[in-house]
Amino acid sequence: MTRAQVGIDLGGTAVKSGRVSAAGAILEERSDDPGFARGPQHVLDTLARIWRELGGGDALGIGVPGLLERERGWLIASPNLPGFVELDVRGELARRTGLDPRRVVVENDANAAAVGELWLGAGRGTRDMLVVTLGTGIGGGFILDGKLYAGEGLAGEIGHVVVDPLGPLCGCGKRGCVETLASATAARRRALAANLPASAPGDLVLLAQRAREGCAPERELMHDIGRDLGRALGTVVCLLDVRTFVFGGGFSGALDALEPGLRVGIEERSYGARSPVVKLLPAELGASAGWIGAA
């Protein structure tokens, strides 16, 4: 990257985007309504317009949630983006922007966030880590030996690790994915089931605060949610010996309230009593990580 570059992060509720220099200086940043109700083609129009308004350039990096065919730049399916099925994101954006398709990079949103945190955030200097995004769903991006590892496109999909085969039905069609138990969406559902207020997004902030203060129902809820998430992370620890986890997304603000349960879950599912050496770190770039990594 020889000059300022535009990056876009398509989320479940907003489009985060901006322009960053090769030295890592944030030159411009914005948030837009993607207009999902008007369908995928309108959203693609919006993304191209944002790219132009940010100054365009000779390339575009974009992070999108869901299952990708990375080599072709196709979004195969996205549980949290209705209607986004078998969509040629790279080709459609190249056509709308006039860019050579080879200059349009389409990446999973959590992978993009992992690159952002590695470059400018909590992962600076780290060789191996998993960035976990806690939001509408749960995403993950692996950094192994200092580089993004995406496999054929599915590596890092921590949200769809099954921790309870009899659990709630997930948007992917399976039951008991950790996304159905520990995402912000799942936390609100579990809070309501426990007769705790969670009808508004801000209620999770209050629940976490009450858990920190020692209020029994809220503390127990956060412990249980953290334990379910920790069970999925314990699988990662066991398979890859990754010991650094960076948490981003809207629900990551509750990390300290989730941590006791997280460590219990990690201990339950990992081998060799490694929980004490596992680092659980808050992301440093917040909602900017995805677009920065895409850029």
Side-chain angles (χ1 to χ4, degrees):
M1 188 164 58
T2 58
R3 60 191 183 88
Q5 182 62 56
V6 173
I8 296 177
D9 179 22
L10 177 60
T13 57
V15 180
K16 306 288 186 181
S17 61
R19 197 161 51 96
V20 60
S21 76
I26 307 302
L27 305 175
E28 191 173 354
E29 188 170 11
R30 58 188 279 177
S31 178
D32 294 86
D33 179 357
F36 286 122
R38 298 178 64 179
Q41 296 302 316
H42 172 77
V43 174
L44 290 167
D45 288 340
T46 299
L47 300 180
R49 173 177 56 79
I50 290 170
W51 174 80
R52 287 191 296 271
E53 291 175 355
L54 284 169
D58 62 358
L60 169 61
I62 179 166
V64 296
L67 173 60
L68 295 178
E69 189 174 321
R70 298 174 73 244
E71 191 169 324
R72 289 199 302 159
W74 278 63
L75 178 61
I76 305 303
S78 180
N80 298 312
L81 298 182
F84 280 70
V85 179
E86 296 292 340
L87 191 63
D88 181 10
V89 177
R90 174 182 293 159
E92 292 288 345
L93 286 176
R95 181 173 63 82
R96 285 167 166 82
T97 59
L99 290 169
D100 184 319
R102 293 171 296 181
R103 300 293 293 164
V104 178
V105 176
V106 182
E107 186 55 85
N108 174 271
D109 60 342
N111 285 347
V115 172
E117 289 291 338
L118 176 69
W119 182 29
L120 298 178
R124 292 189 302 274
T126 300
R127 301 297 297 173
D128 303 298
M129 69 174 181
L130 176 66
V131 171
V132 181
T133 56
L134 302 176
T136 305
I138 295 180
F142 273 120
I143 300 296
L144 298 180
D145 196 25
K147 300 176 182 178
L148 175 68
Y149 178 76
E152 294 295 320
L154 280 176
E157 288 288 355
I158 189 71
H160 297 288
V161 170
V162 173
V163 296
D164 180 5
L166 301 179
L169 183 65
C170 181
C172 75
K174 295 183 295 184
R175 286 194 175 274
C177 293
V178 70
E179 181 169 295
T180 70
L181 298 167
S183 64
T185 306
R188 284 193 288 271
R189 188 195 71 245
R190 294 178 73 164
L192 290 170
N195 294 316
L196 297 171
S199 56
D203 288 339
L204 290 182
V205 176
L206 178 60
L207 288 172
Q209 182 58 41
R210 290 180 62 81
R212 296 182 190 104
E213 294 169 354
C215 297
E218 290 85 353
R219 183 174 57 188
E220 182 177 350
L221 174 68
M222 290 296 173
H223 185 278
D224 289 348
I225 292 171
R227 185 179 184 182
D228 284 329
L229 181 56
R231 286 167 171 164
L233 301 187
T235 302
V236 174
V237 174
C238 201
L239 285 175
L240 296 171
D241 201 20
V242 169
R243 303 186 183 197
T244 300
F245 296 90
V246 175
F247 297 85
F251 192 35
S252 66
L255 177 60
D256 60 327
L258 296 169
E259 183 169 350
L262 270 165
R263 294 198 175 275
V264 169
I266 290 171
E267 197 70 23
E268 286 178 356
R269 296 293 172 91
S270 62
Y271 172 74
R274 282 175 284 183
S275 177
V277 298
V278 168
K279 296 179 181 178
L280 305 175
L281 306 175
E284 293 182 4
L285 300 180
S288 302
W291 77 256
I292 290 173

